[in-house]
Amino acid sequence: MMKVFSKVCPKYHKKKGEGKKRIIILILVALVVSGFAFEKYREFEDSKKFEPPGKLIDINGHSMHIYGEGLADNTPTVVFTSGWKTPSPYVDYYPLQKEISKYTRAVVYERPGYGWSEVASGERDIDIITKELHDLLVKAGEKGPYILVGHSFGANEVLRFAQLYSSEVAGVALIDGSNPYYTITIKRPSKYFIRYGTVKSTIFNNIINMLNKFGITRLLFDNTDLYASRFTGYKNDLSLAPEELRELDEAMFIKTLNNKNHLQELRMDSSRLVENKNIGNTPLKVITSSLYNSSELTRNIQQGLLKWSTNSKQIIVDDSQHYVHWFKPEVISQEIIEMIKKN
């Protein structure tokens, strides 16, 4: 009878098929909503578990995190600035800050979109970033003169700081720093379409963004060693940090990855830096990893940084990768301490 009915009423099969589609769609919607809610709940848990060790200060309409250790006793204050997309600058500079704070005041700050600092609204450029750092130091009660330490992208803001506030700068140390003369020759990624430089990179990062947003990344990290095995090797597996800081770094990776401010920095050029030429005779140390020194392109970029001051010196660190301070922090500490003692 059913066969006869189905032949006579072809709409029966159509309705049955539509019913299955609706169920599948409802299941998918439920999974997406559940994943999104799960991620938001875990982010809330992280905010309670990992409270900022320093001060959150309102700068230019958004809160920024700054953390200092040690005392400046007629010595310069050392300020650390991080590389591009570093999840937690506080964790990233843990080994260096711990050592340098024995000699003077050592300060780590987090740009908007990094660590505990809020994502800033509106368009941004290197002058906004640099002036916000200066305002933050003033509001936090930190005193110059400063020795500025910039890793990778952070080289841009410390060089600009040395240009804008030269009387407050006692020295600059760059760790595998970006060279503004090189970056102005690179085509910047599109604001809307090829946002990460290439089609492949854009597709990859957009997939990662989706996995983060709906809790899939967190589930993978919770149930595997994926983060430790694939995302910390370039920082020597964070081997110099205690377990709780490795957990914090992982949480901040999920929280901050590929946010608006990261993308703005990827598009940011260095024309204004180059227009203002260099930083005069301010002491400059160019600390280069053996990884960067082994490639002609990055070796030339590093050697080019020496021209930014008439008082510069290059230090090549053997057996190190781009995050030199996780492989040979003692070498960098020694160079910074030497600068402290000369002031």
Side-chain angles (χ1 to χ4, degrees), residues 21-63:
K21 287 180 182 177
R22 288 194 189 99
I23 292 171
I24 292 171
I25 291 170
L26 287 172
I27 291 171
L28 290 174
V29 169
L31 287 173
V32 168
V33 171
S34 297
F36 183 79
F38 165 74
E39 178 56 34
K40 289 300 178 184
Y41 174 71
R42 288 296 298 276
E43 287 177 9
F44 173 76
E45 279 193 325
D46 285 345
S47 71
K48 298 300 180 185
K49 181 179 180 181
F50 302 113
E51 294 187 354
K55 303 174 183 177
L56 289 174
I57 299 175
D58 184 76
I59 301 292
N60 203 18
H62 46 265
S63 67

Side-chain angles (χ1 to χ4, degrees), residues 54-68 77 79-82 89 105 107-114 116-118 124 127-144 146 148 157 161 165 168:
K55 303 174 183 177
L56 289 174
I57 299 175
D58 184 76
I59 301 292
N60 203 18
H62 46 265
S63 67
M64 292 174 63
H65 179 237
I66 184 168
Y67 174 70
T77 296
V79 179
F80 297 99
T81 74
S82 66
R105 181 76 170 162
V107 175
V108 172
Y109 103 103
E110 298 180 320
R111 287 193 302 274
Y114 290 74
W116 284 280
S117 293
E118 290 181 334
R124 299 173 63 73
D127 275 8
I128 290 174
I129 288 176
T130 305
K131 289 174 182 176
E132 285 181 350
L133 169 56
H134 187 263
D135 290 348
L136 180 65
L137 291 168
V138 171
K139 282 194 174 184
E142 301 296 347
K143 306 293 184 182
Y146 302 108
L148 305 170
E157 64 193 292
F161 194 110
Y165 311 102
E168 300 177 42

Side-chain angles (χ1 to χ4, degrees), residues 197-215:
T198 65
V199 173
K200 182 179 179 181
S201 180
T202 298
I203 291 172
F204 174 77
N205 280 284
N206 283 335
I207 290 172
I208 294 295
N209 293 344
M210 183 183 69
L211 295 177
N212 278 3
K213 187 175 292 185
F214 297 110

